[in-house]
Structure formats: structure tokens, C-alpha cells
């Protein structure tokens, strides 16, 4: 379902979302290697984190809301493009869900990093639309509208 979302993202954003998988894996590997030297974070602790219960829907909603607030702040106050801010926040949430919850999300099962990133993008963009859309520039509004439009088309095609 989320694969069609990538069609509406620019080539740069597509590369960034796809790179999320590689970046998350590389960062996780680096952290796993260095975590062995941290108290309480040896291999057993990392294995335990991977076997943890799924991220709750409440947690996912809270992270998406916090990300949307961050996106609005970065876009409105610091003039960062909404696309860049959304993708950065999606990477952070993808990292947390992949490494803390083993990629598991309640009511969705085990997801690949790309699926987590795409779902996060949709959730964050939807909240940005509700929160600070009227304060965005034309290019940022276009990105928000395209993501939500592509998502709506994907949902409608599944009916």
C-alpha cells in the first residue's frame, strides 16, 4: 500500500526514504558494536530489545505528533523545507521502532524499515496538515498535498 506513496515524492526524497533502511541498519550495527562496552548494554540487552513487545499504537501516535510539532517548528521558524524535516523525523522514528521494538508495531506486525518510514511520513504529514499548513509556503504545501493525495488514492484502490 505504501509503495505508491513513493511515486509522489521527489527523486531526492525517494532516495532518502530508501536510504533510511541502509542508514538504520548501518547505525544499528555501529551501535550494537559499541554498545558492548556500555554498562548494561551488552549483547543480551540488545537481543532483549529486539524481542521486546511491539510498539503500541499510542506510542506511534505520540511519536508522530512530536515529529509533526518538530516539523512545523523547523519549517515555520527555521525555514527548513517541509520535505527535508519530515524525512529526518521519519528516519528517527524508523530507527527507534526498528531497534527498540524489532520493527514490530501493534496491529501491524513486523514491518520493514521502509514500511515504517512510509507510514511515519503519512502520519506526520497528516498532522502537519492539521497543525501548521496555513503557515507553510507554496512548495511545502504542494509536498503535503501530494503525499496526502497519493495516500488517499492508495487507500481508495484497496477498497
Amino acid at each position: 500500500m505504501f509503495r505508491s506513496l513513493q511515486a509522489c515524492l521527489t527523486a531526492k526524497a525517494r532516495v532518502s526514504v530508501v536510504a533510511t533502511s541502509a542508514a538504520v541498519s548501518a547505525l544499528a550495527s555501529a551501535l550494537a558494536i559499541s554498545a558492548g562496552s556500555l554498562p548494561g548494554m551488552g549483547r543480551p540487552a540488545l537481543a532483549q530489545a529486539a524481542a521486546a513487545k511491539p510498539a503500541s499504537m499510542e506510542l506511534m501516535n505520540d511519536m508522530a505528533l512530536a515529529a509533526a510539532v518538530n516539523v512545523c517548528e523547523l519549517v515555520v521558524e527555521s525555514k527548513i523545507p517541509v520535505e527535508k524535516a519530515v524525512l529526518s523525523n521519519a528516519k528517527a522514528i524508523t530507527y527507534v521502532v526498528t531497534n527498540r521494538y524489532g520493527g514490530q508495531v501493534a496491529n501491524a506486525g513486523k514491518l520493514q524499515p521502509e514500511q515504517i518510514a512510509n507510514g511515519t511520513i503519512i502520519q506526520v504529514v497528516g498532522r502537519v496538515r492539521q497543525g501548521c499548513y496555513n503557515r507553510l509556503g507554496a512548495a511545502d504545501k504542494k509536498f503535503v498535498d501530494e503525499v496526502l493525495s497519493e495516500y488517499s488514492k492508495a487507500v481508495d484502490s484497496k477498497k
Side-chain angles (χ1 to χ4, degrees):
M1 175 163 107
F2 297 117
R3 291 233 185 261
S4 64
L5 168 66
Q6 291 179 349
C8 82
L9 301 176
T10 65
K12 179 179 171 186
R14 279 195 306 268
V15 169
S16 184
V17 169
V18 171
T20 298
S21 299
V24 166
S25 296
L27 187 54
S29 296
L31 288 175
I33 291 167
S34 65
S37 63
L38 297 174
M41 282 301 294
R43 296 266 180 228
L46 291 173
Q48 186 178 21
K53 63 181 181 179
S56 69
M57 292 309 295
E58 182 180 16
L59 174 67
M60 296 302 292
N61 287 327
D62 288 348
M63 287 194 296
L65 179 58
V69 169
N70 187 38
V71 168
C72 286
E73 181 70 19
L74 289 170
V75 173
V76 173
E77 300 300 326
S78 300
K79 307 303 180 206
I80 304 291
V82 74
E83 181 177 353
K84 186 179 236 181
V86 166
L87 293 175
S88 178
N89 279 276
K91 288 177 187 178
I93 292 172
T94 300
Y95 176 80
V96 169
V97 173
T98 301
N99 291 287
R100 175 66 175 91
Y101 298 95
Q104 297 179 74
V105 176
N107 302 327
K110 183 160 174 45
L111 302 173
Q112 295 300 311
E114 185 177 83
Q115 293 173 301
I116 298 165
N118 286 337
T120 299
I121 290 167
I122 292 163
Q123 292 297 314
V124 171
V125 167
R127 285 168 173 81
V128 166
R129 176 74 172 94
Q130 293 172 337
C132 62
Y133 185 81
N134 61 340
R135 297 174 63 196
L136 301 179
D140 291 331
K141 285 180 178 179
K142 181 179 178 188
F143 175 79
V144 168
D145 293 341
E146 287 176 351
V147 169
L148 295 176
S149 173
E150 188 63 30
Y151 175 70
S152 293
K153 288 177 191 172
V155 168
D156 290 343
S157 73
K158 299 292 180 185
K159 289 182 180 178

